Amino acid sequence: MPDVPDQEKSPSRARDHLANERTYLAWLRTALAVMALGLAIAGFANSASTSSIASGSILVLVGAAGVVYGTRRYQRVNRELEAGFYQTGSRGNAAVVTSAVLVSALVLALVVLAIGRK
């Protein structure tokens, strides 16, 4: 067996990468669910009104932004893990801000739908 550096033999390295991949897949699942909800609102509304298309578009755009952010986060963490200098807690308030954007987009989409029904 060739001589492998200690970093590559470490089981925690594999665990870290797998955890990063699971987190990325969670970002993708959530973003795709938001996008699917947006498409459902825009496509299956009683009529293709401006409000249903606007609310669906809001959710599709927020979902697309989630895919972009999740992908960038995955790549950044992967580079840090490969370089061996990943620090926990170094992401600041990204999770709180992302959650706030998602909830705000859902509320905005519902408000646009409610206004459009009047």
Side-chain angles (χ1 to χ4, degrees), residues 20 29 39 41-43 51 64 80 91 105:
N20 188 32
R29 276 192 312 270
L39 291 173
I41 288 173
S51 62
E80 290 176 6
R91 300 291 175 257

Side-chain angles (χ1 to χ4, degrees), residues 1-9:
M1 183 168 153
D3 192 27
V4 180
D6 288 337
Q7 183 183 15
E8 292 183 22
K9 292 180 187 176

Side-chain angles (χ1 to χ4, degrees), residues 59-99:
L59 294 177
V60 169
L61 289 174
V62 168
V67 169
V68 170
Y69 178 78
T71 302
R72 290 185 66 217
R73 182 192 180 285
Y74 168 76
Q75 291 170 342
R76 183 176 56 242
V77 170
N78 196 46
R79 280 192 305 271
E80 290 176 6
L81 289 173
E82 284 298 313
F85 66 88
Y86 179 77
Q87 290 181 323
T88 59
S90 62
R91 300 291 175 257
N93 294 327
V96 174
V97 170
T98 305
S99 299

